[in-house]
Structure formats: structure tokens, C-alpha cells
């Protein structure tokens, strides 16, 4: 896949335009959401409908930015700087990376050398803090991480759990190595989801053609 990096400021009109119609890393988990019997959930299908609408040139309902999301955005550069100080690594901001075919994209929180990347998660809620940092359950982040490793062809990701309010141990770093089997399963499922988006796109195109 050919990848282009868009360095427009996060949240800007150019940044939003670059993401439009693409299945993005922060929504990979939604795209792969399935019931216990393997059927696509309502959340996944709605995301497919929204993405098809955007590919046609429309605009899906805006995503509400809550206080936790704003805090995460504000804390990201602080966590990145502390990671650099602790590890000695140089982290390059990557912007929004997307495939040139308009299908997929991801906004990783930084690139390290030629092989690595970082993903920063600020522990705003206590539930997230205890689930991810205390219990070590990182499952909520794995689709995003594996998807980004797939798109960017990277070998590892340092998952940074950042709890700036804690007086001690406010940063926990977990190295996630590239897992080819997991990436193969994820990429296959994402390509299947993209095919559904294209079917919705075709239905919308046909309906608009009839209305003209």
C-alpha cells in the first residue's frame, strides 16, 4: 500500500478532509465489532453507512468531543516528551497517515526510528486506569495498534499509559511486538468491512441517480 502523511493540525478543516471517507485507526474497533455469534453489530453497520456517505461526498454526524478527549489531546505532547526523556528515543510526530486509495488511515502519536511507533493513552477515567494500568488489560487498544502496524509496516509499538495526576508511576510503557497472525486476521476483517462500505456506497449512488 502507498501511504501519504498529512501533517495538518489535528481538528483542522484540512485534517478532517484527509480523514473523510476513510476507515480510521481510532474506529477500527468499531468496524470489527461483532456479536457473540459473529454478526456485525449495529455500531459497526452504522459506521459503514457513515463512511459510505462520506465517500459519496456527504458528511456524517459530527463526533462529539468530550472533556476526556480534550484532556487526552492536551496531555499527548507532555507524555511524548516524558517518554523521550525516559527512553532516550526521538519521537517524530506523524500526522494522519492514509492509503492513497482513500480506504484507510491512522493517526499514530509518533514514529520512532524506522521500525517503531508510540500510542499514547491518557488515563482520564478511573475505570480506564484500573482496567489498563492496574489489571493490564490492553484489549481496547489492540485493534488500533495492530491496524497501524499493518498500515505503516512497523515492527513494534510502545503503548504509553499516561496518568499525569499520579505522584508516582504516572507512565507505564508496554512494548507491543508485531504479530503477523493477528495482523492478518485484522487486515482481512478490515478489507471485508471496506467491501461493505463500498456496497453501501453503490446503493447510495443508485438511489441518488434515480432521484436526479
Amino acid at each position: 500500500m502507498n501511504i501519504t502523511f498529512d501533517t495538518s493540525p489535528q481538528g483542522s478543516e484540512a485534517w478532517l478532509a484527509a480523514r473523510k471517507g476513510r476507515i480510521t485507526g481510532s474506529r477500527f474497533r468499531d468496524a470489527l465489532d461483532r456479536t457473540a455469534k459473529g454478526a456485525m453489530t449495529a455500531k459497526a453497520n452504522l459506521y459503514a453507512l457513515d463512511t459510505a456517505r462520506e465517500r459519496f461526498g456527504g458528511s456524517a454526524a459530527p463526533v462529539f468531543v468530550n472533556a476526556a478527549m480534550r484532556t487526552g489531546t492536551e496531555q499527548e505532547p507532555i507524555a511524548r516528551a516524558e517518554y523521550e526523556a525516559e527512553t532516550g528515543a526521538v519521537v517524530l510526530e506523524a500526522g494522519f497517515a492514509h492509503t492513497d486509495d482513500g480506504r484507510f488511515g491512522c493517526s499514530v502519536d509518533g514514529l520512532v526510528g524506522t521500525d517503531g511507533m508510540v500510542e499514547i493513552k491518557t488515563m482520564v477515567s478511573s475505570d480506564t486506569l484500573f482496567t489498563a494500568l492496574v489489571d493490564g488489560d490492553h484489549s481496547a487498544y489492540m485493534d488500533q495498534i495492530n491496524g497501524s502496524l499493518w498500515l505503516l509496516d512497523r515492527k513494534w509499538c510502545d503503548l504509553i499509559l499516561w496518568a499525569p495526576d499520579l505522584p508516582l508511576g504516572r507512565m507505564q510503557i508496554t512494548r507491543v511486538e508485531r504479530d503477523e497472525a493477528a495482523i492478518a486476521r485484522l487486515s482481512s476483517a478490515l478489507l471485508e468491512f471496506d467491501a461493505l462500505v463500498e456496497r453501501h456506497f453503490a446503493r447510495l449512488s443508485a438511489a441518488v441517480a434515480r432521484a436526479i
Side-chain angles (χ1 to χ4, degrees):
M1 290 180 292
N2 292 322
I3 298 292
T4 297
F5 288 88
D6 187 296
T7 56
S8 303
Q10 186 170 345
S12 67
E13 290 299 320
W15 182 82
L16 292 171
R19 295 169 61 86
K20 191 171 183 177
R22 290 185 166 90
I23 303 163
T24 61
S26 61
R27 302 293 304 275
F28 285 167
R29 193 178 187 204
D30 291 343
L32 304 179
D33 198 35
R34 300 292 184 271
T35 67
K37 294 184 177 180
M40 185 172 296
T41 64
K43 178 191 292 186
N45 191 58
L46 177 58
Y47 183 40
L49 294 172
D50 283 344
T51 307
R53 181 176 183 168
E54 290 184 353
R55 286 186 185 179
F56 192 76
S59 297
V63 177
F64 177 70
V65 179
N66 59 32
M69 294 168 68
R70 286 194 295 272
T71 298
T73 300
E74 294 165 358
Q75 287 292 323
E76 182 182 307
I78 303 172
R80 188 185 296 112
E82 183 140 332
Y83 170 86
E84 289 183 317
E86 183 167 324
T87 65
V90 175
V91 181
L92 300 178
E93 294 186 52
F96 179 67
H98 58 83
T99 58
D100 292 345
D101 59 12
R103 298 159 78 187
F104 302 101
C106 61
S107 296
V108 295
D109 294 328
L111 301 176
V112 182
T114 58
D115 294 331
M117 65 185 207
V118 298
E119 191 63 47
I120 300 167
K121 300 299 180 184
T122 301
M123 305 287 97
V124 178
S125 75
S126 297
D127 179 55
T128 302
L129 174 73
F130 277 82
T131 298
L133 194 145
V134 177
D135 297 335
D137 181 358
H138 304 152
S139 58
Y141 314 127
M142 292 310 299
D143 287 338
Q144 182 177 4
I145 289 173
N146 283 327
S148 297
L149 290 172
W150 168 54
L151 291 178
L152 301 180
D153 195 25
R154 295 266 156 167
K155 295 182 179 178
W156 55 264
C157 173
D158 274 350
L159 172 61
I160 302 168
L161 303 181
W162 175 243
D165 59 301
L166 298 185
L168 297 172
R170 60 182 185 170
M171 171 176 282
Q172 183 184 93
I173 304 169
T174 301
R175 176 68 57 92
V176 179
E177 300 286 352
R178 185 182 179 94
D179 181 336
E180 295 295 351
I183 289 174
R185 289 192 298 270
L186 178 136
S187 60
S188 177
L190 286 176
L191 290 169
E192 182 181 352
F193 181 81
D194 179 70
L196 174 63
V197 172
E198 286 297 296
R199 290 197 295 274
H200 287 320
F201 178 89
R203 292 172 57 217
L204 180 57
S205 299
V208 171
R210 289 195 301 269
I212 295 176

